[in-house]
Amino acid sequence: MAVFRSGLLVLTTPLASLAPRLAPILTSAARLVNHTLYVHLQPGMSLGGPAQPQSSLVQATFEVLDFITHLYAGADVHRHLDVRVLLTNIGAKSAFLPPLPSSVQNLAHPPEVVLTDFQTLDGSQYNPVKQQLERYATSCYSCCPQLASVLLYPDYGPGELSVESLDVPLPSTIRPASPVARSPKQPVRGYHRGAVGGTFDRLHNAHKVLLSVACILAQEQLVVGVADKDLLKSKLLPELLQPYTERVEHLSEFLVDVKPSLTFDITPLLDPYGPAGSNPSLEFLVVSEETYRGGMAVNRFRLENGLEELALYQIQLLKDPNHTDNEEDKVSSSTFRQRMLGKLLRPPYKRPELPTQLYVIGLTGISGSGKSSVAQRLKGLGAFVIDSDHLGHRAYAPGGPAYQPVVEAFGADILHKDGIINRKVLGSRVFGNKKQLKILTDIVWPIIAKLAREEMNQAVAEGKRVCVIDAALLLEAGWQNMVHEVWTVVIPETEAIRRIVERDGLSEAAAQSRLQSQMSGQQLVDQSHVVLSTLWEPPVTQCQVEKAWALLQKRISQTRKAHG
């Protein structure tokens, strides 16, 4: 069976009958498409007649909104698929409803295959129907020249799709601001302009529901606030957030695909109110269950500033049935970031100059991150661990390779009476003095690197396959040049300060000062191959490390197979 990168799914069954069959339809589509699946709703359309079928307007009712929500919720099972419900022919109740576009719509990923749930009488891949389907698809959307077509219903077996319309309303997922009870068949009101906001990190199906409802309600312009800067500080694992420009790029592509007739104003969200709090031309705001209070606060802010309240539309959260104990039970970007922990984020370095039998990991993290505890866990799994602090003590010791050069550079008054270097006195000389610090690091870092290479040879002699260099200043010292991968342990700065105060007896100010003298967690992650976090209970950290170790073993095996 051929697998296509992008496809278009044309759904022709009435929504009430289609809802219980969505799971097998999406599963069948997922077998044929491995990247982007566009979904075009045309309930009631026939592909069996001689006349060329025409795209018709689908009235936006609460049933339609609920169906779109359930479709995205069902699609979340197929994580490899980027599903996009096309909204061009779905219209809200409005006196200023735009006509259906007469031109072919260009999509970001031109479909290579068109699929449908249309049922032929004999349950076969009936060629005239497939030809009609191909003609219909190409009359609406830009498709690949060699467009293939597939009727999905044979995959279900003949009995399943012969069920008559169930007329059972879908569970309600959209709550308008009005307390009046809503009917599934009730048309959705259209507005000139509205707003929606969020972080939109790793655009997922819950985001797509929020955006799709906003796109259906808006007839002219949609303002989309994208959280940035201070609003990101409280996020879980903020170091793994996509950059603002990348989030906007993915968001813009999705919005233009699903409703190109709208004007989109994508803007940074720098405070809790954003443009929704100050733009007098806006009429509605789409929020989720957890941001509904924020929507109420926006309306209070508008009233205080002489602006009319916005109509609020509240969207239920999508549940994630596969979440683990320490993950949120909803589909969320936070969970996606958690699942990135331990995974390879970028290709490893090629280091032909290192011993061929040894794979070297550089382990780093800000002070208080739990880096040393992760090093011990890796040691327990079989890694040879090189402690750079221990090597530093060896280098500074009388007779050590750094002892005489450091004494000559900084004077004998840095010594204890017994001749040992007083590292506190030495530290006070270089702390906050970039020139003096460079003199010291120019002496010490190359010496510690040389000692680390000697330790690597010892690891080879002991038959170890993996060596971990545990070094807080790994990147500052340039030691990434002698490792295959950089692994970083991250922790929120507030938690790091708490740990430093508790562990070292420092004041909060002193702990803060220590962190400010190091690279930030974000700077470290930007140069890392694998990220871990000790934010949760020890068993969670252990699971992360075991996952990272197992994936590492696979990489090493694959590398060795590739090199014969």
Side-chain angles (χ1 to χ4, degrees):
M1 181 187 291
V3 178
F4 302 89
R5 182 169 172 79
S6 54
L8 173 67
L9 173 59
V10 179
L11 295 174
T12 63
T13 307
L15 300 186
S17 300
L18 183 55
R21 304 171 194 174
L22 261 181
I25 287 173
L26 288 169
T27 299
S28 298
R31 292 194 200 111
L32 293 163
V33 180
N34 68 7
H35 187 264
T36 307
L37 179 68
Y38 294 105
V39 181
H40 173 80
L41 297 182
Q42 198 63 84
M45 185 177 75
S46 174
L47 295 167
Q52 166 72 26
Q54 299 294 316
S55 186
S56 60
L57 184 71
V58 176
Q59 175 71 63
T61 61
F62 283 100
E63 178 188 40
V64 170
L65 297 189
D66 290 335
F67 179 82
I68 290 171
T69 302
H70 286 288
L71 193 154
Y72 278 122
D76 209 58
V77 175
H78 308 287
R79 289 283 168 83
H80 70 282
L81 265 186
D82 177 5
V83 175
R84 305 178 182 193
V85 181
L86 299 167
L87 307 173
T88 304
N89 68 319
I90 299 175
K93 183 180 180 183
S94 171
F96 44 90
L97 194 64
L100 284 173
S102 55
S103 59
V104 173
Q105 181 182 336
N106 290 316
L107 299 169
H109 308 281
E112 299 169 357
V113 61
V114 58
L115 320 165
T116 186
D117 62 336
F118 184 80
Q119 184 178 7
T120 55
L121 294 175
D122 59 358
S124 66
Q125 293 284 333
Y126 187 49
N127 280 336
V129 170
K130 292 173 68 175
Q131 290 165 7
Q132 287 279 54
L133 176 63
E134 290 167 22
R135 284 199 293 269
Y136 177 72
T138 52
S139 71
C140 297
Y141 303 104
S142 57
C143 299
C144 289
Q146 303 301 319
L147 184 69
S149 57
V150 177
L151 309 184
L152 289 178
Y153 65 84
D155 288 355
Y156 311 139
E160 187 169 345
L161 278 182
S162 62
V163 180
E164 293 300 316
S165 176
L166 300 177
D167 276 333
V168 176
L170 289 163
S172 172
T173 58
I174 315 296
R175 184 180 298 166
S178 169
V180 178
R182 41 151 281 202
S183 157
K185 304 294 184 184
Q186 179 184 337
V188 175
R189 179 187 166 184
Y191 301 84
H192 289 279
R193 299 173 191 86
V196 64
T199 308
F200 301 113
D201 180 47
R202 289 171 179 80
L203 196 67
H204 53 65
N205 288 322
H207 291 143
K208 292 174 183 178
V209 172
L210 205 69
L211 293 166
S212 296
V213 172
C215 283
I216 289 173
L217 296 172
Q219 305 304 303
E220 293 179 13
Q221 183 188 40
L222 182 64
V223 177
V224 185
V226 180
D228 198 21
K229 298 185 179 175
D230 286 352
L231 291 189
L232 302 179
K233 289 181 178 178
S234 62
K235 298 294 179 184
L236 182 70
L237 301 170
E239 300 90 350
L240 291 174
L241 278 162
Q242 291 174 315
Y244 175 82
T245 52
E246 192 174 332
R247 286 181 282 138
V248 167
E249 181 183 347
H250 294 159
L251 185 62
S252 179
E253 183 193 277
F254 173 81
L255 291 169
V256 171
D257 259 352
V258 301
K259 194 166 181 182
S261 61
L262 276 185
T263 298
F264 297 105
D265 179 10
I266 302 177
T267 183
L269 201 55
L270 303 175
D271 63 73
Y273 302 113
S278 57
N279 187 332
S281 70
L282 298 180
E283 299 165 282
F284 73 86
L285 177 64
V286 176
V287 296
S288 69
E289 283 180 85
E290 63 183 7
T291 58
Y292 183 72
R293 287 186 178 181
M296 298 285 283
V298 165
N299 271 340
R300 286 195 298 272
F301 184 78
R302 288 177 68 91
L303 289 173
E304 289 167 4
N305 288 276
L307 299 178
E308 288 188 12
E309 285 186 301
L310 302 175
L312 295 182
Y313 286 80
Q314 179 185 343
I315 314 298
Q316 279 188 5
L317 300 171
L318 294 194
K319 296 299 180 183
D320 182 357
N322 301 314
H323 74 281
T324 59
D325 289 343
N326 68 307
E327 294 175 345
E328 295 179 311
D329 64 353
K330 61 173 184 171
V331 175
S332 76
S333 303
S334 299
T335 298
F336 289 171
R337 292 195 294 277
Q338 276 180 259
R339 291 173 184 171
M340 290 170 65
L341 296 172
K343 292 184 178 179
L344 188 69
L345 304 180
R346 51 180 57 85
Y349 298 129
K350 294 177 181 177
R351 297 291 187 220
E353 70 278 11
L354 294 177
T356 53
Q357 313 94 309
L358 201 62
Y359 201 88
V360 184
I361 302 297
L363 180 65
T364 191
I366 64 172
S367 185
S369 64
K371 171 182 58 65
S372 298
S373 70
V374 169
Q376 288 309 302
R377 292 174 190 277
L378 290 167
K379 185 176 182 178
L381 292 170
F384 184 95
V385 175
I386 300 172
D387 185 339
S388 63
D389 281 346
H390 178 68
L391 295 184
H393 284 293
R394 274 175 53 192
Y396 281 114
Y403 182 84
Q404 199 58 39
V406 169
V407 172
E408 288 175 4
F410 292 94
D413 56 340
I414 65 166
L415 299 176
H416 285 291
K417 290 180 181 178
D418 57 6
I420 294 173
I421 291 175
N422 186 331
R423 293 181 69 173
K424 282 190 175 179
V425 173
L426 178 59
S428 67
R429 291 273 186 90
V430 301
F431 186 75
N433 187 323
K434 289 183 179 179
K435 184 178 179 182
Q436 292 293 301
L437 181 61
K438 187 174 187 310
I439 292 170
L440 179 63
T441 56
D442 283 350
I443 295 169
V444 176
W445 283 350
I447 290 171
I448 295 178
K450 184 173 182 293
L451 293 174
R453 288 192 179 91
E454 291 172 3
E455 292 280 304
M456 286 184 209
N457 294 332
Q458 180 60 34
V460 172
E462 293 182 17
K464 295 289 188 179
R465 295 177 68 198
V466 177
C467 174
V468 174
I469 301 176
D470 175 2
L473 299 177
L474 183 94
L475 297 179
E476 289 93 331
W479 294 342
Q480 67 267 38
N481 294 329
M482 57 181 186
V483 305
H484 294 96
E485 298 177 16
V486 175
W487 289 19
T488 293
V489 184
V490 296
I491 199 79
E493 190 175 291
T494 51
E495 174 63 13
I497 290 171
R498 188 193 68 75
R499 292 181 183 183
I500 295 167
V501 169
E502 188 178 284
R503 182 190 67 194
D504 300 339
L506 298 179
S507 66
E508 283 195 13
Q512 179 89 44
S513 181
R514 179 184 292 185
L515 292 178
Q516 287 174 347
S517 69
Q518 303 172 357
M519 289 177 73
S520 68
Q522 186 66 63
Q523 289 171 314
L524 297 176
V525 167
D526 288 345
Q527 299 182 59
S528 297
H529 299 82
V530 172
V531 176
L532 301 163
S533 179
T534 60
L535 181 59
W536 297 276
E537 295 299 313
V540 178
T541 302
Q542 183 65 25
C543 285
Q544 276 180 45
V545 175
E546 288 172 358
K547 170 185 166 183
W549 180 260
L551 293 172
L552 174 65
Q553 299 309 308
K554 283 185 183 177
R555 291 199 290 280
I556 293 172
S557 296
Q558 288 167 356
T559 301
R560 289 184 176 162
K561 281 180 186 175
H563 291 87

